[in-house]
Amino acid sequence: MSSTSAGPGSAAGRRPGRSAKPVGAVTRGTTNPNRLRRMDRWIAAELAPELRRSGPAPVAVDLGYGAAPWTAVELYQRLAAVRPDVRVVGIEIEPERVAVAQRYARPPGLSFRRGGFEVPLDGPAAVGGALLIRAANVLRQYEEAQVADAWALLCGRLAPGGLLVEGTCDEIGRRQVWVALDRTGPRTVTFAARLGGLERPSDLAERLPKALIHRNVPGEPVHAFLRDMDRAWASAAPYGNFGARQRWMAMARAVAGDWPVVGGPRRWRLGELTVRWEAVAPGDTR
């Protein structure tokens, strides 16, 4: 999302709408099919209760989908399996990307429009907000000091019970870390990986979201969490004889004894581990 555009903090108090100048900067646009599959799988499970009990046509947003709209198309397919009348809006700040995406639109379920952190929406969602805003690989190009403003702006566009999922992954989605936030702020951090070929859990450190990536240093909680994951992973080496999944699950059980881990074996089997935000939040913000 142009480098000459205003940063997210400049939009505080701005009323979203078509006439507002999009807020943000153009991303590199790198995208690949299935890149966000792990994140989508978690979202579909976590958000399923709210999706099912929401009023007609709940809205989800794929913010900054990139040069090609694959991630928005896939998000629509995955959420529609839970709630067939869901509406997914892909939002991009670059007009050419929006024009290219129009051929993939499936009205009214999947649409594309220009916008940024102000999240312009139509209909009831323009006032009520979106049930989901997913911002993957968007904030990495910003300064750490800008993250709080971006989060606040996006959370202000959530419907009651909605989620902002903001995080980072590698080019083909093998390693991902994301923060889940509601309208009150951050709730959890999820670490997810393709376990085959994973040498140690701290390999995920390079995919930490912007709010955490510069905090992976001694003395910071997220560094201690990754350290404990590595130690538990090493201790669980014998389980590797039964496969990387069993080793990951043994690691997760050990870590859950010392950290406020959310979820259990059903999610661990998928190569995920979720911990409460307050346990790994930057030390100077706790």
Side-chain angles (χ1 to χ4, degrees):
M1 291 195 301
S2 127
S3 57
T4 58
S5 297
S10 66
R14 176 181 294 178
R15 182 180 181 84
R18 282 188 180 275
S19 61
K21 181 180 179 181
V23 178
V26 177
T27 62
R28 287 193 307 153
T30 304
T31 187
N32 285 297
N34 266 332
R35 186 183 188 190
L36 300 180
R37 178 176 63 88
R38 300 176 198 282
M39 191 182 294
D40 285 354
R41 180 174 59 192
W42 184 89
I43 288 170
E46 185 73 12
L47 205 57
E50 285 295 336
L51 275 170
R52 293 187 177 113
R53 63 175 166 251
S54 289
V59 172
V61 170
D62 185 14
L63 180 67
Y65 55 81
W70 315 133
T71 60
V73 172
E74 291 163 356
L75 180 64
Y76 171 64
Q77 293 170 340
R78 289 159 183 158
L79 295 184
V82 178
R83 179 69 187 260
D85 67 337
V86 70
R87 298 189 178 185
V88 171
V89 182
I91 294 179
E92 251 295 338
I93 203 168
E94 180 59 56
E96 290 79 6
R97 294 177 182 175
V98 179
V100 167
Q102 296 304 328
R103 72 187 71 172
Y104 298 93
R106 303 176 190 176
L110 176 62
S111 62
F112 299 91
R113 67 181 305 171
R114 187 179 183 218
F117 290 112
E118 77 285 358
V119 188
L121 296 171
D122 292 325
V127 176
L131 193 60
L132 168 74
I133 299 174
R134 185 187 64 188
N137 304 301
V138 171
L139 289 180
R140 279 185 69 96
Q141 68 189 29
Y142 291 87
E143 299 297 327
E144 181 182 351
Q146 294 177 289
V147 171
D149 282 341
W151 280 358
L153 190 58
L154 294 173
C155 287
R157 300 296 290 133
L158 290 175
L163 284 180
L164 165 62
V165 179
E166 187 271 306
T168 306
C169 69
D170 65 5
E171 285 72 11
I172 58 175
R174 295 168 301 177
R175 299 172 183 174
Q176 305 188 13
V177 187
W178 61 84
V179 182
L181 307 91
D182 62 18
R183 296 205 297 182
T184 66
R187 292 171 29 180
T188 60
V189 183
T190 298
F191 299 77
R194 180 183 181 275
L195 299 179
L198 183 71
E199 291 191 20
R200 60 185 65 84
S202 62
D203 290 348
L204 287 161
E206 64 185 14
R207 299 301 164 184
L208 286 168
K210 192 67 178 187
L212 294 174
I213 194 164
H214 301 301
R215 303 306 185 110
N216 185 29
V217 294
E220 286 284 349
V222 71
H223 182 271
F225 184 70
L226 289 167
R227 177 203 63 205
D228 285 2
M229 287 177 73
D230 279 354
R231 288 175 176 173
W233 179 255
S235 296
Y239 288 90
N241 293 326
F242 304 101
R245 177 181 294 173
Q246 294 301 318
R247 186 178 181 183
W248 179 270
M249 292 181 69
M251 178 273 296
R253 283 194 296 270
V255 171
D258 298 314
W259 293 83
V261 168
V262 178
R266 186 173 181 181
R267 305 308 307 178
W268 302 344
R269 288 179 58 84
L270 301 174
E272 296 174 7
L273 187 63
T274 299
V275 65
R276 294 196 182 280
W277 166 259
E278 57 266 24
V280 296
D284 56 7
T285 66
R286 304 173 82 192

